[in-house]
Amino acid sequence: MRSLFFASIILIVILGCVSVKPKDLRQTAESSNPIYSFHFEKALFRASMEVKKNELTGLVFIKKMPDSTYRIVFSNEFGMTYFDLEIHEDSFQVIYCFEPMNKKMLLNILEIDFRLLIGNNSTSKGKWYLQELTNHQVYHVKDKKFNTWNTFSTNCDTLLSQTASSNIFNQTIINYLAYRDSFPSKIHIQNPFINLDLKLTLLSK
Amino acid sequence: MPMRKIFFILVFFTAGLLVRAQNKPLDAATINKVKSGVADCAARTITIFSDFTQEKEMSILNDKIITSGKFYFKKEKQLRWEYIHPFSYVITINGDEITIRNDGKISSFNSQSNRIFSEVNKIIIGSVRGTLLDDDTFRASYSQSNGNFIVKLTPLSPRLKESLQEIIIHFNKKDFTVDRLEMIEQGGDFTKINFTDKRINEPISDEKFILR
């Protein structure tokens, strides 16, 4: 009984610490689907990825293919590929992954991260909220797999962040920063439970 | 003979000639000449300073990522890669010690602890010093183009085979320095590094290989 009590306390603390839901939300009457504020056919980023205290740096290239799938290639400065992923609307393919990174859990998380980033997430109908402290508009959408919170600027023309979770061990936080010509020049992706931290700086698109 | 047939015969004939012109296999005597030329060049080379342009070609994506910068080498095992465009990044290799300056942040580690760097380090130092040609972890095949002797190295070790299909080194026919290094990955993507404006044996301070 006592161990159950402690387990519950620990679970409550963990859930409290890592909740991806933005704070101070009030539901609004807005009913339209959000228009994501940036789109791209291809983009090249300088990348720095930390996974469990290992740091990898290099370039991330993202390209939309003619069949609307996305290819994401991360290579080091010398051109050697760490991973090459393909995201379809309803499937995911690992074209290549450098052996030490070829772990199912990591690849699942990368799929979620990049799916959010390319805007290929849920098409389910969501609800709008106003974040009272900041006046940001927040769009929450929940489908079979994920709970996703998309935070937009006050006038709803700029996507500021996305947080998504499927369970407490699978959570993603993406911040879109330093917009230039309607495109974020810095993108910061975090997955707290595996200590994954990916920073992207736009080089060209 | 129909025009279309003539056209295809011409195309295949021309393509055949081009392939031959690009890639003539070498006989045993010329292979020995290449080996001794590379060894002599390595023996008399104390320093190298050159510009480089690196192209990563992604076979399926039909796109190239092009980066460029400055390359420094000093005997025995000191390297400095300075990427200037489109981002600033410096990596120095001093024996097994690797130091990186990225976004103003400096970090050091031992090359043995990072497999990719360890392999890239071995390939580049081995190419410059000529030791890669006698490395028994590769199978070498030799050919030539107009201006270069071309050595194709196929990794034999299972670990290296996981990521690299082939390494191709283009040695300049006149001075046996490396004009181009190509790394072909298992997925078919490849990276070409072209060395230009090479300056051999000009003084380079040891400070150049230390990042602070």
Side-chain angles (χ1 to χ4, degrees):
Chain A
M1 194 65 191
R2 209 169 144 178
S3 57
L4 186 67
F5 170 74
F6 281 115
S8 309
I9 294 286
I10 289 166
L11 191 63
I12 288 164
V13 170
I14 290 172
L15 283 169
C17 291
V18 298
S19 173
V20 296
K21 181 183 174 184
K23 290 188 170 69
D24 303 312
L25 298 183
R26 176 169 56 81
Q27 195 172 340
T28 61
E30 179 66 57
S31 61
S32 59
N33 280 340
I35 297 163
Y36 288 92
S37 53
F38 64 89
H39 290 280
F40 58 97
E41 295 298 310
K42 60 181 178 180
L44 179 66
F45 298 93
R46 184 87 177 99
S48 157
M49 181 192 253
E50 271 185 63
V51 198
K52 294 183 175 174
K53 294 183 181 172
N54 295 307
E55 189 178 10
L56 305 171
T57 62
L59 296 166
V60 165
F61 183 67
I62 304 176
K63 184 176 180 180
K64 188 178 185 181
M65 306 301 283
D67 62 355
S68 293
T69 59
Y70 277 86
R71 284 287 287 272
I72 295 120
V73 181
F74 180 25
S75 60
N76 72 3
E77 288 77 6
F78 292 110
M80 304 289 290
T81 306
Y82 290 127
F83 59 69
D84 182 351
L85 312 173
E86 188 169 76
I87 295 183
H88 302 250
E89 195 176 328
D90 50 9
S91 63
F92 172 70
Q93 198 185 344
V94 179
I95 307 292
Y96 172 79
C97 188
F98 179 53
E99 191 48 38
M101 293 179 78
N102 202 351
K103 309 277 185 263
K104 200 175 175 196
M105 189 186 181
L106 175 64
L107 292 167
N108 284 345
I109 285 171
L110 289 172
E111 178 196 351
I112 296 163
D113 294 354
F114 286 113
R115 209 175 265 287
L116 277 174
L117 177 64
I118 60 177
N120 185 359
N121 45 350
S122 179
T123 51
S124 301
K125 188 91 180 139
K127 287 178 183 165
W128 281 99
Y129 295 82
L130 175 73
Q131 190 171 35
E132 295 194 310
L133 271 175
T134 58
N135 273 338
H136 290 156
Q137 307 288 327
V138 178
Y139 185 71
H140 174 228
V141 61
K142 189 176 179 182
D143 59 20
K144 283 178 194 166
K145 281 184 172 177
F146 296 104
N147 240 325
T148 310
W149 300 86
N150 303 284
T151 302
F152 293 86
S153 57
T154 306
N155 51 4
C156 216
D157 62 353
T158 307
L159 179 61
L160 302 174
S161 67
Q162 289 180 296
T163 55
S165 66
S166 57
N167 56 54
I168 60 165
F169 302 108
N170 205 347
Q171 302 191 328
T172 297
I173 303 163
I174 307 184
N175 287 299
Y176 300 96
L177 309 157
Y179 271 81
R180 281 205 302 258
D181 301 326
S182 304
F183 195 89
S185 62
K186 289 186 186 293
I187 298 171
H188 187 189
I189 302 172
Q190 293 164 281
N191 297 91
F193 270 97
I194 61 158
N195 284 332
L196 185 148
D197 191 290
L198 174 59
K199 288 180 182 142
L200 303 173
T201 303
L202 183 70
L203 293 172
S204 64
K205 76 179 182 80
Chain B
M1 195 182 280
M3 261 322 262
R4 215 169 129 175
K5 213 168 176 180
I6 295 171
F7 171 75
F8 280 115
I9 288 171
L10 275 174
V11 165
F12 283 118
F13 181 70
T14 315
L17 280 180
L18 280 174
V19 168
R20 277 190 193 183
Q22 282 170 358
N23 229 345
K24 289 178 199 157
L26 298 187
D27 56 34
T30 319
I31 290 173
N32 285 335
K33 186 184 149 192
V34 175
K35 283 184 174 178
S36 63
V38 170
D40 288 348
C41 172
R44 62 175 184 269
T45 302
I46 311 294
T47 66
I48 304 172
F49 165 50
S50 91
D51 294 335
F52 72 87
T53 304
Q54 182 179 305
E55 290 178 19
K56 179 177 171 67
E57 280 193 31
M58 290 170 281
S59 50
I60 299 169
L61 293 181
N62 243 342
D63 280 281
K64 282 182 189 176
I65 296 175
I66 300 174
T67 51
S68 59
K70 306 274 182 198
F71 169 84
Y72 303 81
F73 165 78
K74 189 170 185 180
K75 232 173 193 174
E76 290 290 327
K77 286 184 174 180
Q78 296 187 103
L79 277 184
R80 178 186 172 109
W81 291 90
E82 191 171 339
Y83 287 82
I84 295 169
H85 184 79
F87 55 86
S88 166
Y89 175 85
V90 184
I91 177 164
T92 60
I93 301 169
N94 230 322
D96 285 333
E97 179 78 8
I98 293 178
T99 310
I100 289 168
R101 184 164 67 213
N102 185 23
D103 270 348
K105 197 176 102 186
I106 292 178
S107 49
S108 295
F109 56 92
N110 189 290
S111 71
Q112 301 307 317
S113 67
N114 185 314
R115 216 167 99 194
I116 284 195
F117 274 118
S118 171
E119 296 300 348
V120 171
N121 184 22
K122 183 178 156 187
I123 291 162
I124 290 161
I125 298 255
S127 311
V128 175
R129 297 176 70 204
T131 51
L132 212 56
L133 304 189
D134 295 318
D135 190 325
D136 57 10
T137 59
F138 295 98
R139 190 181 62 241
S141 64
Y142 294 76
S143 61
Q144 64 180 320
S145 64
N146 282 343
N148 291 104
F149 291 118
I150 301 163
V151 183
K152 195 183 280 185
L153 299 166
T154 309
L156 297 176
S157 83
R159 254 172 65 153
L160 195 52
K161 261 193 209 172
E162 279 169 16
S163 48
L164 273 178
Q165 204 181 97
E166 268 173 3
I167 299 156
I168 303 173
I169 311 170
H170 296 244
F171 291 101
N172 188 296
K173 274 186 175 173
K174 287 180 188 158
D175 61 10
F176 291 95
T177 58
V178 178
D179 279 344
R180 185 198 289 178
L181 187 66
E182 295 176 31
M183 292 180 280
I184 298 153
E185 298 175 58
Q186 283 303 349
D189 292 352
F190 67 96
T191 302
K192 283 190 254 181
I193 306 175
N194 288 304
F195 297 94
T196 52
D197 196 16
K198 282 175 273 180
R199 282 167 246 176
I200 311 295
N201 292 342
E202 287 189 6
I204 301 175
S205 143
D206 283 343
E207 289 287 303
K208 206 76 191 167
F209 304 94
I210 299 166
L211 294 179
R212 293 194 178 95

